[in-house]
Amino acid sequence: MKIYKLVLLTTLFLLGLISSKANAQSPLPIHIGIKGGANYSELPVSDGFSSKYASGYFGGAMARFDIGRFYIQNEILYSEKSSKIETSLMGSRNVKWKSIEVPLVIGYKVVNLDALNVRVFGGGVYSYVIDDNIASLNQLKDSYKKFDKSNIGYQVGAGVEMWKFTLDFTYQGGLNNISKDFDSKVSSFNVSIGYFIL
């Protein structure tokens, strides 16, 4: 886990360095910030099981490049998600997985004032699972032994920004199955609060 913390800290440092130089040498509006929030996720499973949404959390860094009313935003986030799995035999139990997520979205400011803007956005997200407890469920071991740790998804959402503070609501869905053996795509609803440092 230490290597992921090192990668995150190094990325934050480099983003800060790039942003400070860009702001000093160019009028281009580049902004760096932090964000965190809660997610509500579901992991569909194989026949004989039912799945429900369960809560988790995430946090990390964001960088934005403004182009008039449009903007491009990239993030690197540490995320912990969970889903409630139910069967008639074992009852219900939460499965959890931890991942590094890298969303990249294009947004548009519907309302664009000095102290307030309202935004809509959409784009893709790459995630890599670094830990999970799915295999600890004996009845799921065979189905999920080929659990794909690398996944690509999409996200759409809307947000409000006041001064340097942001509030975003996002839906995130999977584009590829988490295993080649069966049809299973993760979905998640996210709410986040952020703050632009630069």
Side-chain angles (χ1 to χ4, degrees), residues 142-147 177-184:
D142 291 337
S143 295
Y144 282 82
K145 62 186 176 182
K146 294 183 180 179
F147 185 76
N177 293 321
I178 62 171
S179 173
K180 294 180 180 178
D181 291 348
F182 50 87
D183 184 16
S184 181

Side-chain angles (χ1 to χ4, degrees), residues 40-44 51-54 82-83 97 185-188:
Y40 197 55
S41 308
E42 181 191 25
L43 175 68
S51 60
K52 294 183 178 180
Y53 284 88
S82 64
S83 181
W97 63 101
K185 297 180 176 69
V186 176
S187 61
S188 178

Side-chain angles (χ1 to χ4, degrees), residues 43 45 49 83 85 90 93-98 129 131-149 178 182:
L43 175 68
V45 290
F49 298 86
S83 181
I85 307 299
M90 72 176 191
R93 180 173 175 181
N94 277 15
V95 294
K96 298 181 180 180
W97 63 101
K98 304 172 184 177
V129 177
D131 189 27
D132 69 82
N133 74 341
I134 295 171
S136 66
L137 297 176
N138 291 327
Q139 292 170 288
L140 290 178
K141 277 185 179 179
D142 291 337
S143 295
Y144 282 82
K145 62 186 176 182
K146 294 183 180 179
F147 185 76
D148 191 353
K149 295 183 179 297
I178 62 171
F182 50 87

Side-chain angles (χ1 to χ4, degrees), residues 1 6 32 36 39 47 70 76 98 109 146-147 173 195:
M1 190 60 199
L6 180 60
I32 303 295
N39 55 51
D47 293 339
F70 289 92
I76 179 167
K98 304 172 184 177
K109 299 172 184 176
K146 294 183 180 179
F147 185 76
Y195 178 76

Side-chain angles (χ1 to χ4, degrees), residues 64-174:
R64 180 188 295 175
F65 178 71
D66 287 321
I67 313 168
R69 283 180 174 262
F70 289 92
Y71 67 90
I72 299 172
Q73 185 163 309
N74 191 203
E75 301 166 5
I76 179 167
L77 307 170
Y78 169 77
S79 175
E80 290 197 12
K81 294 181 177 179
S82 64
S83 181
K84 189 175 183 180
I85 307 299
E86 296 181 339
T87 69
S88 57
L89 294 176
M90 72 176 191
S92 64
R93 180 173 175 181
N94 277 15
V95 294
K96 298 181 180 180
W97 63 101
K98 304 172 184 177
S99 59
I100 299 297
E101 297 186 345
V102 184
L104 177 63
V105 300
I106 296 175
Y108 179 75
K109 299 172 184 176
V110 180
V111 176
N112 188 25
L113 305 175
D114 289 339
L116 171 72
N117 68 58
V118 178
R119 300 167 286 109
V120 292
F121 54 86
V125 55
Y126 170 78
S127 65
Y128 185 83
V129 177
I130 56 177
D131 189 27
D132 69 82
N133 74 341
I134 295 171
S136 66
L137 297 176
N138 291 327
Q139 292 170 288
L140 290 178
K141 277 185 179 179
D142 291 337
S143 295
Y144 282 82
K145 62 186 176 182
K146 294 183 180 179
F147 185 76
D148 191 353
K149 295 183 179 297
S150 183
N151 293 279
I152 296 175
Y154 66 92
Q155 65 178 28
V156 292
V160 177
E161 197 165 311
M162 294 186 67
W163 295 285
K164 293 186 176 184
F165 293 93
T166 67
L167 175 64
D168 289 345
F169 298 92
T170 308
Y171 173 77
Q172 191 178 101

